[in-house]
Amino acid sequence: MNRIPTSESANKCSTCVLGQFCLPVGLNQEEIGKIDSLVTERVRLKKGDALYRQGDTLTAVYGIKFGTLKTEYTLPDGREQITGFHLPGEMLGLDGIGNNQYQSNAIALEDSEACIVKFNEFEILARQIPSLQHQFHRILSKELTQDQRHLLSLGSLRAEERLASFLLNFSDRLAARGYSPSEYHLRMSREEIGSYLGIQLETVSRLFSRFTESGLIQIKQRHIKLIDMDGLLELAGKSSAIHCATHT
Amino acid sequence: MNRIPTSESANKCSTCVLGQFCLPVGLNQEEIGKIDSLVTERVRLKKGDALYRQGDTLTAVYGIKFGTLKTEYTLPDGREQITGFHLPGEMLGLDGIGNNQYQSNAIALEDSEACIVKFNEFEILARQIPSLQHQFHRILSKELTQDQRHLLSLGSLRAEERLASFLLNFSDRLAARGYSPSEYHLRMSREEIGSYLGIQLETVSRLFSRFTESGLIQIKQRHIKLIDMDGLLELAGKSSAIHCATHT
DNA sequence: CGAGCGTTTGAAATCGGTCAACAGCAGTGG
DNA sequence: CCACTGCTGTTGACCGATTTCAAACGCTCG
């Protein structure tokens, strides 16, 4: 994990393609320009690196520039719960604002980069730019909604429903970023998927096999192809629309 | 559900005992005075009334003045997931900011009252009062942390661990509000507890019986007495400190 | 090429779910 | 004041989805 000035790679918010997901949503060019001076550094992470860890003092929140991260809680007895998988344009570290300490670990699942948003400077700027303030509120709120949908999944759905909606959720979020909605690479292990969904890795594996037999998907290693979207929707979504992209 | 002007009952933020949990945390007297003019009305709810419903357009967020509310998602097939039980001083409706529509139903579990915070006016004021802005960020962030702890519970704990940490969580939150940490009234049914914890009402009932036999609690109807806190902590918390009051 | 994960698959065990009967208490109305 | 009714909660018996334990397979990377 090392820091690099954003100028080095000449990537500023004002030119970033992720603007439509991230902090700049709803801002005009002039306002985005002001953010450029706020976000002057990025962090480069290698697979497995931590962006932050539970207990670290919060000084910044982050926007994912590229890559995939997971956030997780670890219990003293070794059990762990993954609370989210995070894609470019999403913000991380928000759970640390409450008492100035990150409440979870954020770990890179592949080589990734995150933009550093110094939080006290951000709050100052947000007071000057109403649309920035509002967008931040929206981001926090959507994060809440996302977690609550996840709660619904863990609390009310059966294993196959959870997995189906997980696959569709990724499909939507990747599609929104211009990737194929029907074919993508899972950056996480079966165990991590299981942790996220509150089931065992063996169950995940068995379900993938079952879905394949039913002609719903094709999967080879971590490369997955969604064959029968309607079938998956029926499994996951007949009962709900949990997967539906709440990530803008 | 009817609206009443706050002046009527002469209860303003500046004199409200819940200030230590709610929006005014960290504000000085003068600043709190400004909030008074923002929060000019309250809503009175009878048991069973909805403060808002999924899909309603958001115009305000709420602070609970007294009473207890639940927030829930309902699936088309009838299953429902309760995502939270909310006590005085907590804010509600935050999940609606993301796209201007409440994402859940908020239902009163007993006669309750909530202060109306008109959201667009609030944002204006928050730009003028840095400590108000920051406190709102903290509230949102803590809400996130709370949900993630809940995720951990549903994803990684066994039924008895979930119930034990549920009881301790309430204990802490009530204690913070000046009530007894060891004896309180459950405002929700076994079914609602089960929904919140992702288990069946029969399981909740059986566990209460088991806890009673083990001398951990005494329970009569919905009145519960926590006898052996350490024992409960061992069940719930040996593996974690999930229950620990994140609500300020 | 071999070591070591990550993954798949099978068989047995179990926690919690489902179905069902009943008990307790609250409210209603005769 | 006491049935009657209905809702909430308790308890039992059985069932089944998921976990657990175990073994084998197959990438991937040094």
Side-chain angles (χ1 to χ4, degrees):
Chain A
M1 159 166 169
N2 55 57
R3 290 169 169 249
I4 49 174
T6 56
S7 53
E8 182 183 281
S9 47
N11 273 322
K12 309 202 163 226
C13 292
S14 49
T15 58
C16 180
V17 293
L18 293 166
Q20 53 178 315
F21 300 102
C22 201
L23 234 26
V25 174
L27 275 64
N28 63 36
Q29 260 335 106
E30 181 202 339
E31 290 166 340
I32 296 182
K34 291 186 188 166
I35 304 186
D36 281 342
S37 56
L38 176 71
V39 183
T40 55
E41 278 189 323
R42 293 210 304 280
V43 182
R44 190 166 282 169
L45 300 162
K46 289 200 300 290
K47 183 175 174 173
D49 285 349
L51 178 59
Y52 53 80
R53 291 196 168 276
Q54 196 163 353
D56 289 355
T57 298
L58 172 141
T59 54
V61 296
Y62 302 91
I64 302 178
K65 179 71 179 171
F66 63 79
T68 311
L69 292 268
K70 66 173 175 180
T71 44
E72 62 174 20
Y73 286 82
T74 312
L75 299 181
D77 71 355
R79 284 180 285 186
E80 82 173 29
Q81 177 66 36
I82 292 177
T83 52
F85 296 114
H86 307 276
L87 298 179
E90 294 180 19
M91 299 212 65
L92 283 181
L94 304 172
D95 65 2
I97 297 169
N99 60 356
N100 256 304
Q101 289 195 328
Y102 298 109
Q103 300 297 304
S104 54
N105 302 318
I107 313 286
L109 293 175
E110 61 180 319
D111 292 357
S112 306
E113 241 176 68
C115 304
I116 300 174
V117 182
K118 292 192 200 79
F119 191 63
N120 46 12
E121 293 181 28
F122 168 77
E123 284 191 328
I124 294 169
L125 197 59
R127 292 200 294 274
Q128 293 160 12
I129 307 177
S131 50
L132 177 62
Q133 176 200 37
H134 188 61
Q135 172 59 8
F136 188 62
H137 291 163
R138 290 185 57 196
I139 288 172
L140 280 160
S141 173
K142 284 183 183 224
E143 208 61 41
L144 270 176
T145 300
Q146 183 78 352
D147 283 350
Q148 283 167 11
R149 291 275 156 77
H150 192 185
L151 277 174
L152 175 57
S153 170
L154 298 197
S156 298
L157 302 189
R158 291 173 317 118
E160 61 174 16
E161 298 173 310
R162 295 184 205 179
L163 187 60
S165 61
F166 169 79
L167 294 176
L168 291 170
N169 177 296
F170 255 83
S171 172
D172 286 345
R173 286 159 65 194
L174 289 167
R177 285 162 180 77
Y179 297 99
S180 166
S182 62
E183 196 171 349
Y184 53 87
H185 191 81
L186 295 165
R187 301 293 174 181
M188 67 298 286
S189 69
R190 305 293 193 259
E191 183 170 18
E192 287 168 326
I193 294 172
S195 169
Y196 179 80
L197 296 176
I199 55 185
Q200 294 305 113
L201 69 99
E202 292 95 330
T203 305
V204 175
S205 178
R206 272 185 254 271
L207 286 172
F208 275 146
S209 302
R210 192 132 62 83
F211 285 2
T212 303
E213 283 165 28
S214 317
L216 292 169
I217 64 170
Q218 282 174 10
I219 188 165
K220 196 182 159 191
Q221 297 295 112
R222 297 184 178 186
H223 187 83
I224 189 166
K225 204 180 291 190
L226 310 187
I227 305 295
D228 179 2
M229 286 279 197
D230 291 338
L232 287 169
L233 263 166
E234 183 151 357
L235 263 186
K238 142 107 54 113
S239 50
S240 65
I242 296 173
H243 67 284
C244 72
T246 49
H247 276 279
T248 306
Chain B
M1 160 165 167
N2 54 56
R3 291 169 167 250
I4 50 174
T6 56
S7 54
E8 180 183 283
S9 48
N11 272 321
K12 309 203 164 227
C13 292
S14 49
T15 58
C16 179
V17 293
L18 293 165
Q20 52 178 315
F21 300 102
C22 200
L23 234 26
V25 173
L27 275 63
N28 62 37
Q29 259 337 103
E30 182 202 339
E31 290 166 340
I32 297 182
K34 292 185 187 165
I35 304 186
D36 281 341
S37 55
L38 176 71
V39 183
T40 55
E41 278 189 321
R42 293 209 304 281
V43 182
R44 190 166 283 168
L45 300 161
K46 290 199 301 291
K47 181 173 175 175
D49 284 349
L51 178 58
Y52 53 80
R53 292 196 168 275
Q54 196 163 352
D56 288 356
T57 299
L58 173 141
T59 53
V61 295
Y62 302 90
I64 303 177
K65 180 70 181 171
F66 64 78
T68 311
L69 292 269
K70 66 173 175 180
T71 45
E72 62 174 21
Y73 287 81
T74 312
L75 299 181
D77 71 354
R79 284 182 285 186
E80 82 173 30
Q81 177 66 37
I82 291 177
T83 52
F85 296 113
H86 307 275
L87 299 179
E90 294 179 21
M91 299 211 66
L92 282 181
L94 303 172
D95 65 2
I97 297 169
N99 60 356
N100 256 305
Q101 289 194 326
Y102 299 110
Q103 300 297 304
S104 53
N105 303 318
I107 312 287
L109 293 175
E110 60 180 321
D111 291 357
S112 306
E113 240 176 68
C115 304
I116 300 174
V117 182
K118 292 192 201 77
F119 192 62
N120 46 12
E121 292 181 28
F122 167 78
E123 283 192 328
I124 293 169
L125 196 60
R127 290 200 295 273
Q128 293 159 12
I129 307 177
S131 51
L132 177 62
Q133 175 200 38
H134 188 61
Q135 172 59 9
F136 188 63
H137 292 164
R138 289 185 58 197
I139 288 172
L140 280 160
S141 173
K142 284 182 184 223
E143 208 61 40
L144 270 176
T145 300
Q146 183 78 352
D147 283 350
Q148 283 167 11
R149 290 275 157 76
H150 191 184
L151 277 174
L152 174 57
S153 170
L154 299 198
S156 299
L157 302 188
R158 290 174 317 116
E160 62 173 15
E161 298 174 310
R162 295 184 204 179
L163 187 60
S165 61
F166 168 81
L167 294 176
L168 291 170
N169 176 296
F170 255 83
S171 172
D172 286 345
R173 287 158 66 194
L174 289 167
R177 286 164 179 75
Y179 298 99
S180 166
S182 62
E183 196 170 348
Y184 52 88
H185 191 80
L186 295 164
R187 300 293 173 180
M188 67 298 287
S189 68
R190 304 293 193 260
E191 183 170 18
E192 288 167 325
I193 295 172
S195 169
Y196 179 80
L197 296 176
I199 55 186
Q200 295 304 114
L201 68 99
E202 291 95 330
T203 304
V204 174
S205 180
R206 270 185 257 271
L207 286 172
F208 275 146
S209 302
R210 192 132 63 83
F211 285 2
T212 303
E213 282 165 28
S214 316
L216 293 168
I217 64 170
Q218 282 174 10
I219 188 166
K220 198 182 158 191
Q221 298 293 112
R222 298 184 177 184
H223 187 85
I224 190 167
K225 204 180 290 189
L226 310 187
I227 305 295
D228 179 2
M229 285 278 197
D230 292 339
L232 287 169
L233 264 165
E234 183 152 357
L235 263 186
K238 141 108 53 116
S239 49
S240 64
I242 296 173
H243 67 284
C244 73
T246 49
H247 277 277
T248 307

